[in-house]
Amino acid sequence: MVLRDAHNRIIRDLRLSLTDRCNFRCFYCLPNGEPPLARKETILTFEEITEICEIFVQLGIEKIRLTGGEPLLRKDVEVLVEKLAKLKALRITNYELRGDGNPNSKFQIPKLVDLALTTNGFSLKERAKDLKNAGLDRVTISLDSLKRENFRKITGVDKLGEVLQAIKAAQRANLNPIKINAVIVRGYNDNEIVDFAKFARENDLSFRFIEFMPLDAGHEWRREMVVPGKEIRAKINQVFPLKLKKNSRGSETAWKYEFADGGCGEIGIIAPVTEMFCGACSRIRLTADGQIRTCLFSTAEHNLRDVLRSGARRAEVVEFIKVVVLKKEARHHINDAEFVQPQRTMSFIGG
Ligand code: SAM
Ligand code: SF4
């Protein structure tokens, strides 16, 4: 069984926001640290999240990413990870795959293949090992500057040292492949692009350069602040020639490159503004308070929490999800004159 939208895209990737709270104040996301939008009783419990994820995995979701806000602010995330990791025991048989095989076939593959978490890294150093032991496959860590003062200016906190240590701890805990995210903003960190590429080579990391999207709570986004993916690529290429990786993109957001000289590490360029990739989107999002969002830029939300809490039968929950998926937008409209920034910001939606 798969979730297919009205534009014939199959949904394989679930992004789960665990909280809209954060202890960083990234100017491109949550500059003033708005009080949480969702009240405690509206936030999904670990039991509810696990139940929803089990249904999604039965419906063909292969990847689950825990995000936020800062997901590690949610108490006992390791307990949730342990519950979700158990979903990897759900198997798909070749009978299900082809529909004409032997139902008793021994050939089985997991339905859920990837359980990941995106974090600002502030407390990962202490928790990396426990998260791995609980069943987390890998982490993505945000790192917007390699210079202490610039890091503080962008994120509002003086935590560069902690984040660098978190990267090392994640490597030691084998939370691989580790990805590093940097949102590149004109006038803030575009002068560090080559340094980031060097950092990726020296530390054998997958470094992803992300275009600034109009999802910031401070409404500071301006088109001139977006550093186009092409410019990022050219800057790196001048110093460290890049080679497009085989099978780059697919339903993934990033163009992936290796270093032409065979150096360690990988470069990913995520250019949702200047090189829209909506046609291959396989993602769906669930906010911390249980609202399904079919696109980062959706202006509507679908209240799965209330359906679940109303005591709906499983078949009804499945039907609700299927109908919502059919409403997934064909594309975003950032580049259209009539574009309206969604009310919910990245910290709430879950990046
Ligand atoms: N707090 C965690 C973190 O920072 O990694 C997870 C949540 S954060 C919303 C997820 C990712 O979204 C981060 O890598 C962040 O840099 C990115 N992000 C936030 N606001 C963004 C924006 N306006 N444009 C592009 N990316 C953004
Ligand atoms: Fe917090 Fe992540 Fe948003 Fe920065 S990007 S404010 S760390 S949620």
Side-chain angles (χ1 to χ4, degrees), residues 22-26 28-30 68-70 120 347:
C22 190
N23 52 349
F24 280 26
R25 298 288 173 259
C26 302
Y28 56 73
C29 180
L30 195 63
E70 175 46 46
N120 61 26
S347 58

Side-chain angles (χ1 to χ4, degrees), residues 63-258:
K63 299 180 181 182
I64 297 178
R65 174 173 296 278
L66 306 178
T67 178
E70 175 46 46
L72 295 184
L73 284 182
R74 185 89 188 248
K75 196 163 167 267
D76 299 329
V77 174
E78 294 77 2
V79 173
L80 176 66
V81 168
E82 204 170 339
K83 286 177 188 287
L84 297 182
K86 291 202 177 116
L87 299 179
K88 287 192 214 153
L90 297 170
R91 301 277 149 170
I92 185 163
T93 63
N94 61 351
Y95 173 65
E96 277 181 89
L97 278 174
R98 294 191 286 120
D100 59 354
N102 173 1
N104 300 317
S105 165
K106 290 217 165 40
F107 167 64
Q108 295 186 334
I109 53 171
K111 291 187 181 210
L112 176 65
V113 291
D114 189 27
L115 183 56
L117 176 134
T118 305
T119 173
N120 61 26
F122 84 105
S123 71
L124 186 64
K125 183 182 161 209
E126 296 75 32
R127 299 170 72 178
K129 212 165 146 216
D130 288 347
L131 285 163
K132 182 72 189 184
N133 289 342
L136 189 71
D137 292 313
R138 61 192 180 92
V139 286
T140 297
I141 302 169
S142 294
L143 174 66
D144 295 313
S145 177
L146 291 165
K147 298 176 186 156
R148 186 171 167 189
E149 188 43 36
N150 204 31
F151 184 95
R152 196 199 53 72
K153 180 175 159 200
I154 294 173
T155 64
V157 293
D158 187 12
K159 296 273 182 210
L160 174 62
E162 282 81 347
V163 176
L164 294 176
Q165 288 184 26
I167 295 170
K168 293 268 173 254
Q171 285 178 318
R172 278 196 302 276
N174 197 23
L175 283 164
N176 290 318
I178 297 162
K179 291 181 180 167
I180 308 297
N181 277 357
V183 180
I184 305 299
V185 185
R186 178 98 54 217
Y188 282 84
N189 57 359
D190 51 332
N191 59 352
E192 292 194 54
I193 290 172
V194 172
D195 293 346
F196 288 143
K198 191 162 169 266
F199 182 79
R201 285 166 67 89
E202 287 172 356
N203 296 284
D204 194 9
L205 291 162
S206 172
F207 207 105
R208 293 141 48 99
F209 297 77
I210 306 175
E211 285 180 352
F212 181 21
M213 289 183 271
L215 289 167
D216 55 316
H219 293 268
E220 278 197 42
W221 185 88
R222 299 284 173 275
R223 203 162 291 279
E224 313 81 76
M225 297 168 91
V226 177
V227 183
K230 276 201 180 72
E231 184 180 325
I232 297 170
R233 201 170 2 232
K235 276 198 169 146
I236 301 172
N237 210 35
Q238 267 177 7
V239 182
F240 301 116
L242 295 173
K243 209 166 90 187
L244 190 64
K245 278 192 144 179
K246 277 195 196 116
N247 307 325
S248 181
R249 209 99 192 245
S251 69
E252 292 209 29
T253 51
W255 290 108
K256 289 196 247 161
Y257 298 86
E258 56 199 356

